[in-house]
């Protein structure tokens, strides 16, 4: 049965938007653009290796306005450490022997001899790796190199060089394996290395191996989902090709940033490039290819189909990608250590957008109808809009909008409930499966007073006699504070005007007691001894202090205000509706809150098989918020653009909502399934708590967003509001309009015809 009567208006052809013109140009010059894309991608990678590395370390916290960061800046302003160096510990235990036994002592001495023989060559000169090596038998008891229970010993060493520099990383990179070879000669003993750079290199290698494995395990289910959506091998392969090339190009940009800035802590940034690249690039490709194939099925010739696809789905991708990038850029308002991670996400998103406008049209133009090669029976068949599983869901929802709204909202609020007892902090970054993690565990067990968690105090004007006298009194007072332990290490700046005292704390930097100790030293102990000294400033820092400061820092509302305001403004300008813009913000907040609740329940409360961290990563709430708000705009714009397109073509509000959501839900479901697989795999496969938390949060948010929110709550609420969905106050009519659709299809679109399923759907939601 066919019903006619709804006529699409025919518009005069206007100048096409730049994004459409670029896509059409790319389609017409397909081989040139195809080659230029690979030249750009691999040029970024090879070019990054040609840039000389910065000779100085970049402190990502430098310049931040909190005390723990200012402390290190003050020390650096004084010329830094007189002799920049890293501590090195080799922790030794035996199943039956103790350090007091002669055989144990002989082994320790042999290990020290082996460590002394380790050399490196740099700038044409050969130097010993260790500037100092201290035997636990020669050090004073106050040095704490033998555990209080007398079962474990530590060899102490000093390695000259500045931490977190490319130079230091390259210097120590060969020595992890060399020290492991040395330990093999004493296999009956357990010897564990604890050193900042060696731990970082070991973790980086483990992350890379995990990424490689995760990439392989993710690509397979992603390809299967694409195969189910498209029903053709070639069409399913194209999004993966765009994603992989976008990721490769992004790694080149991140390495360029690292080399120019001196910031070598880019493990998480590289991980996020893979995480977001797979999700975003595949989704963008799915939207564009789906619309292109639909236009081809409708009888459009190749270039025209690409023009329409780029003027509809392509424009939605363009605006969504820009909005994601701008949302993530809100993190730069905070500054600090999130810079490399924000840069990697913005880069991979923009690479994906650029690829969708150039590489994708060129590839589709090259393939022509070959995009459907490798057809699989049943899957990817042409379905009339208004049919299928999600269409039935939408029809049911719009028949009972009140019940659906109450139930869905209650479910999302209940999932967000654990947020009420959220605790922010920093999880232990080194896995128990790695040597650094094992060493940390032994140190905490055998040195309960603290052997690695340092509480540091930086004092200016340390060269003055009165300041030196106050420092000595302060040392004694600080050691009297419960939770502050020795031995106290003293480090002077190169100019001698700044001194840093290092104490030790037991337990974790997330422990409330350690954080309370930081506050006590800042507010009571330090002022009692230094307040009266003119020009002398005291800064309490260390990891516990960092957690205190950064937990407050990352909850700064400026990013939330920026992202919410921007998203609201863009939606208002695009859809010319105050109601739609407001509703979109509220729906996104519901799915984001539920994601926070899931992470809190699993990682903080330990309600799953993963190792609990006791805290949510301090930077995670703002990171999930910015990413989800950006990604949610993909789905929201894709759906609402279709709804607005139908409404502009003469459908009533309810009819446009019903048909628009039911016709896009299949694509949205496929896109969301891919994101859930990618994000979920990072939660399951990787052994880095921070990335696991991010993966879980994003997977939950996307899943809820594509099912409960977009396919149930959105149509229910829009059904209740009816024509009020499109209300715009007259006093806002002066605002400019951003048009997503280019209108290219209007030149050739015939009178609309509705299938029997469409007519049935529209009669149901219209009450006829």
């Amino acid at each position: 049965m066919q019903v006619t009567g709804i006529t699409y208006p025919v518009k005069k052809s206007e100048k096409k938007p730049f994004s459409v013109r670029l896509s059409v140009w790319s389609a017409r010059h397909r081989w040139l653009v195809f080659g230029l894309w690979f030249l750009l991608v691999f040029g970024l990678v090879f070019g990054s290796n040609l840039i000389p590395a910065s000779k100085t370390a970049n402190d990502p916290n430098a310049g931040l306005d909190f005390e723990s960061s200012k402390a290190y800046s003050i020390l650096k302003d004084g010329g830094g450490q007189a002799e920049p160096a890293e501590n090195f510990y080799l922790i030794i235990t035996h199943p039956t022997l103790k350090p007091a036994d002669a055989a144990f002592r002989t082994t320790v001495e042999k290990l020290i001899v082996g460590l002394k023989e380790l050399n490196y060559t740099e700038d044409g000169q050969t130097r010993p790796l260790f500037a100092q090596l201290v035997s636990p038998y020669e050090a004073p008891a106050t040095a704490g190199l033998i555990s209080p229970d007398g079962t474990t010993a530590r060899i102490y060493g000093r390695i000259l060089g500045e931490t977190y520099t490319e130079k230091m990383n390259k210097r120590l990179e060969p020595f992890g394996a060399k020290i492991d070879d040395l330990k093999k000669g004493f296999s009956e003993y357990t010897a564990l290395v604890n050193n900042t750079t060696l731990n970082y290199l070991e973790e980086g290698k483990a992350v890379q191996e995990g990424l490689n494995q995760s990439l392989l395990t993710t690509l397979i289910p992603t390809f299967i989902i694409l195969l189910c959506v498209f029903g053709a091998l070639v069409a399913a392969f194209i999004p993966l090709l765009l994603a992989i090339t976008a990721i490769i190009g992004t790694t080149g940009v991140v390495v360029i940033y690292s080399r120019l800035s001196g910031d070598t802590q880019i493990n998480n940034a590289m991980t996020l490039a893979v995480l977001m690249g797979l999700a975003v690039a595949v989704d963008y490709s799915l939207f564009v290819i789906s619309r292109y194939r639909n236009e081809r099925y409708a009888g459009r010739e190749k270039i025209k189909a690409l023009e329409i696809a780029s003027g509809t789905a392509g424009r939605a991708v363009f605006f969504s990608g820009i909005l994601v990038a701008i949302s993530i850029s809100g993190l730069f308002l905070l500054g600090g250590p999130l810079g490399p991670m924000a840069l990697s996400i913005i880069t991979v998103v923009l690479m994906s957008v650029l690829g969708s406008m150039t590489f994708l049209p060129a590839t589709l133009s090259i393939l022509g109808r070959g995009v459907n090669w490798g057809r699989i029976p049943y899957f990817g068949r042409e379905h009339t809009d208004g049919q299928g599983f999600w269409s039935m869901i939408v029809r049911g929802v719009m028949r009972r909008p009140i019940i659906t709204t109450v139930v869905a909202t209650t479910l999302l609020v209940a999932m967000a409930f654990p947020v009420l007892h959220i605790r922010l902090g920093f999880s232990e970054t080194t896995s128990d499966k790695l040597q650094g993690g094992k060493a940390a565990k032994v140190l905490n067990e055998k040195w309960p007073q603290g052997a690695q968690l340092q509480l540091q105090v930086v004092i200016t004007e340390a060269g003055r006699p009165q300041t030196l006298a106050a420092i000595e009194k302060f040392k004694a007072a600080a050691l009297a504070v419960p939770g502050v332990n020795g031995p106290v290490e003293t480090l002077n700046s190169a100019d001698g005007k700044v001194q840093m005292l290092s104490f030790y704390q037991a337990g974790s930097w997330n422990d409330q007691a350690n954080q309370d100790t930081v506050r006590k030293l800042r507010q009571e102990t330090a002022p009692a001894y230094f307040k009266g000294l003119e020009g002398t400033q005291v800064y309490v820092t260390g990891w516990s202090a960092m957690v205190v400061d950064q937990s407050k820092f990352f909850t700064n509302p400026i990013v939330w205000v920026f992202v919410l305001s921007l998203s609201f403004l863009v939606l208002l300008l695009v859809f010319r509706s105050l109601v739609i813009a407001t509703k979109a913000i509220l729906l996104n907040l519901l799915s984001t809150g539920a994601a926070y609740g899931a992470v809190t329940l699993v990682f903080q409360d330990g309600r799953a098989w993963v190792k609990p961290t006791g805290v949510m990563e301090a930077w995670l709430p703002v990171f999930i918020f910015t990413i989800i708000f950006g990604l949610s705009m993909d789905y929201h714009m894709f759906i609402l653009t279709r709804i607005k397109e139908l409404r502009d073509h003469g459908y009533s509000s309810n009819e446009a909502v019903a048909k628009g959501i039911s016709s896009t839900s299949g694509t949205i479901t496929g896109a969301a399934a891919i994101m859930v697989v990618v994000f979920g795999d990072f939660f399951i496969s990787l052994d880095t708590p921070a990335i696991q938390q991010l993966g879980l949060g994003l997977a939950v948010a996307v899943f809820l967003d594509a099912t409960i929110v977009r396919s149930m709550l959105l149509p229910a609420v829009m059904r209740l509001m009816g024509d009020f969905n499109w209300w715009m106050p007259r006093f806002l009519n002066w605002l400019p309009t951003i048009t997503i659709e280019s209108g290219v299809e209007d030149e050739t679109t015939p009178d609309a015809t509705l299938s029997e399923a469409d007519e049935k759907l529209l009669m149901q939601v219209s009450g006829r």
Side-chain angles (χ1 to χ4, degrees), residues 164-372:
Y164 297 132
T165 59
E166 186 78 13
K167 188 174 184 179
M168 191 66 160
N169 290 347
K170 286 186 176 180
R171 179 182 299 173
L172 293 189
E173 191 170 11
F175 288 99
K178 291 182 179 180
I179 294 173
D180 287 341
D181 289 340
L182 174 63
K183 294 187 297 181
K184 288 178 182 177
F186 309 92
S187 56
E188 68 272 24
Y189 291 81
T190 299
L192 300 170
V193 171
N194 187 37
N195 167 260
T196 301
T197 296
L198 289 175
N199 289 350
Y200 174 77
L201 292 172
E202 180 190 34
E203 184 180 356
K205 182 180 179 181
V207 168
Q208 187 59 53
E209 291 174 352
L211 273 179
N212 294 338
Q213 181 180 355
S214 181
L215 186 60
L216 290 174
T217 56
T218 303
L219 286 176
I220 295 173
T222 299
F223 182 74
I224 293 173
I225 294 171
L226 289 170
L227 208 54
C228 293
V229 173
F230 291 133
L233 290 170
V234 173
F237 177 74
I238 296 172
L240 295 179
L241 183 59
L242 175 60
I244 292 170
T245 52
I247 291 168
I248 292 172
T250 300
T251 59
V253 173
V254 174
V255 171
I256 290 172
Y257 160 82
S258 174
R259 289 179 172 272
L260 292 177
S261 67
D263 186 353
T264 61
Q265 302 178 62
I266 58 173
N267 285 344
N268 283 347
M270 291 295 197
T271 304
L272 286 175
V274 176
L275 180 75
M276 295 300 297
L278 276 175
V280 172
V282 170
D283 269 17
Y284 289 171
S285 302
L286 193 151
F287 293 155
V288 174
I289 295 174
S290 294
R291 186 59 186 256
Y292 166 74
R293 295 174 86 216
N294 287 341
E295 296 303 324
R296 293 287 274 169
Y297 291 147
R300 305 298 199 284
E301 56 90 17
K302 181 171 63 177
I303 299 298
K304 193 63 183 179
L306 283 169
E307 185 178 10
I308 294 173
S310 63
T312 52
R315 291 280 287 170
V317 164
F318 174 76
F319 280 103
S320 298
I322 296 300
L323 192 57
V324 172
I326 295 176
S327 295
I328 299 299
S329 70
L331 297 172
F332 290 117
L333 295 175
L334 291 177
L338 295 186
M341 292 190 286
L343 175 66
S344 69
I345 294 178
I346 291 172
T347 302
V348 81
V349 168
L350 293 181
M351 286 284 292
S352 300
V353 170
L354 180 62
S356 298
M357 295 164 53
T358 56
F359 173 74
L360 202 54
T363 304
L364 292 174
S365 181
I366 291 171
L367 292 171
R369 295 194 180 277
V371 72
N372 295 317

Side-chain angles (χ1 to χ4, degrees), residues 11 18 43 61 176 218 228 257 312 326 363 386 410-411 419 428 433 445 457 495 501 515 610 655 676 694 753:
K11 299 178 183 177
F18 170 75
N61 296 314
T218 303
C228 293
Y257 160 82
T312 52
I326 295 176
T363 304
T410 302
L411 175 63
V419 174
E428 299 287 346
K433 298 177 182 178
E445 290 176 354
V457 182
D495 63 7
L501 306 175
Q515 296 175 21
V610 297
E655 291 169 346
V676 170
L694 182 62
T753 59

Side-chain angles (χ1 to χ4, degrees), residues 29 76 145 202 261 338 356 363 381 396 408 423 431 486 593 662 675 726:
H29 302 81
K76 191 172 183 179
L145 295 185
E202 180 190 34
S261 67
L338 295 186
S356 298
T363 304
R381 294 189 304 174
R423 289 190 65 239
S431 167
S662 63
M675 282 199 175
W726 309 98

Side-chain angles (χ1 to χ4, degrees), residues 333-546:
L333 295 175
L334 291 177
L338 295 186
M341 292 190 286
L343 175 66
S344 69
I345 294 178
I346 291 172
T347 302
V348 81
V349 168
L350 293 181
M351 286 284 292
S352 300
V353 170
L354 180 62
S356 298
M357 295 164 53
T358 56
F359 173 74
L360 202 54
T363 304
L364 292 174
S365 181
I366 291 171
L367 292 171
R369 295 194 180 277
V371 72
N372 295 317
W373 287 343
R375 291 299 298 263
I376 297 177
Y378 181 75
F379 292 104
R381 294 189 304 174
E382 303 169 50
H383 291 288
T384 305
D385 289 348
Q387 295 180 339
F389 171 77
W390 284 113
S391 177
M392 292 188 294
I393 295 293
V394 171
R395 289 199 296 269
V397 163
M398 296 191 73
R399 283 196 298 267
R400 297 175 179 82
I402 296 177
I403 295 176
T404 302
T405 300
V406 172
V407 171
T409 303
T410 302
L411 175 63
L412 292 173
V413 171
M415 291 189 66
F417 189 76
V419 174
L420 296 178
H421 64 271
I422 191 172
R423 289 190 65 239
L424 299 180
F426 291 96
S427 57
E428 299 287 346
T429 55
T430 304
S431 167
D432 288 344
K433 298 177 182 178
L434 301 179
Q435 184 173 210
K438 294 176 182 178
K441 185 177 181 180
V442 172
L443 287 171
N444 286 331
E445 290 176 354
K446 298 299 182 179
W447 281 267
Q449 77 278 15
Q452 61 175 346
L453 182 60
Q454 290 191 319
L455 176 64
Q456 298 165 321
V457 182
V458 174
I459 304 121
T460 65
E461 302 299 335
R464 296 178 180 178
Q466 59 269 36
T467 305
L468 288 172
I471 288 174
E472 292 304 315
K473 295 178 182 178
F474 172 75
K475 283 183 188 178
L479 288 171
V481 174
V484 180
N485 304 302
V488 182
E489 299 173 7
T490 301
L491 178 69
N492 293 312
S493 64
D495 63 7
K497 295 181 180 180
V498 181
Q499 187 173 105
M500 183 169 72
L501 306 175
S502 294
F503 303 89
Y504 286 90
Q505 291 182 299
S508 166
W509 50 66
N510 292 316
D511 292 347
Q512 190 62 49
N514 285 338
Q515 296 175 21
D516 290 341
T517 298
V518 170
R519 297 184 181 95
K520 181 177 179 63
L521 289 183
R522 287 176 171 177
Q523 298 167 11
E524 300 176 20
T525 312
Y529 293 94
F530 297 103
K531 190 174 182 180
L533 299 179
E534 185 178 353
T536 299
Q537 301 292 326
V538 181
Y539 302 91
V540 178
T541 186
W543 273 106
S544 297
M546 282 283 188

Side-chain angles (χ1 to χ4, degrees), residues 670-717:
I674 290 168
M675 282 199 175
V676 170
V677 166
V678 173
F679 296 150
D681 185 66
F682 276 67
F683 161 60
I684 296 170
S685 300
L686 294 184
D687 201 27
T688 305
I691 300 301
Q692 283 184 303
Q693 290 186 22
L694 182 62
L696 175 64
L698 293 179
V700 169
V702 169
F703 175 78
L704 294 175
D705 195 72
T707 53
I708 304 298
V709 174
R710 303 299 166 207
S711 297
M712 298 178 69
L713 194 53
L714 176 64
V717 173

